[in-house]
């Protein structure tokens, strides 16, 4: 009876250990994508407005802001596409591990 309890405890520990690693991996992935979604569009707006449109092309502030918004929109869509593609790949690999 004691052997069976030890085996069950070991199985439970192995299962929970695997879950903790998966949860940690998912958390790190989601944190990275969240930071990308926040950082890249903001950085693209300020860099394109101040350095490119106002600095290089010498546009007035209003016109530079409009073009910077377009750049930010494109950057946001690209980053979201990368996130969806990356998360989709993880879901497929997780499904293959789960069902194999």
């Amino acid at each position: 009876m004691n052997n069976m309890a030890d085996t069950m405890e070991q199985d439970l520990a192995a299962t929970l250990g695997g879950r903790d690693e998966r949860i940690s991996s998912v958390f790190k992935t989601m944190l990275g994508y969240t930071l990308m979604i926040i950082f890249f569009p903001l950085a693209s707006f300020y860099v394109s407005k101040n350095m490119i449109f106002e600095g290089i092309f010498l546009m007035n502030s209003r016109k530079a802001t409009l073009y910077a918004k377009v750049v930010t929109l494109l950057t946001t869509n690209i980053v979201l596409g990368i996130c969806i593609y990356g998360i989709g790949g993880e879901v497929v690999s997780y499904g293959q591990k789960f069902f194999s």
Side-chain angles (χ1 to χ4, degrees):
M1 186 76 168
N2 197 16
N3 253 350
M4 189 174 176
D6 288 340
T7 305
M8 288 174 61
E9 284 179 19
Q10 289 171 352
D11 288 343
L12 181 62
T15 303
L16 291 178
R19 245 188 229 155
D20 287 343
E21 289 174 15
R22 259 185 277 142
I23 290 171
S24 174
S25 172
V26 168
F27 179 75
K28 288 177 186 176
T29 302
M30 291 307 296
L31 181 63
Y33 288 138
T34 302
L35 292 175
M36 269 179 35
I37 290 171
I38 293 170
F39 175 74
F40 284 123
L42 285 174
S44 71
F45 176 80
Y46 288 109
V47 167
S48 64
K49 180 182 185 290
N50 295 326
M51 293 183 173
I52 297 172
F53 298 120
E54 288 180 348
I56 295 173
F57 295 121
L58 302 175
M59 292 181 178
N60 63 14
S61 182
R62 189 174 186 157
K63 205 172 189 179
T65 300
L66 176 67
Y67 287 122
K69 287 179 182 179
V70 171
V71 170
T72 302
L73 219 117
L74 293 172
T75 305
T76 303
N77 284 309
I78 290 168
V79 169
L80 283 174
I82 291 169
C83 292
I84 290 169
Y85 180 77
I87 291 170
E90 285 194 17
V91 169
V92 169
S93 69
Y94 177 72
Q96 289 172 349
K97 288 179 188 175
F98 183 74
F99 291 114
S100 62

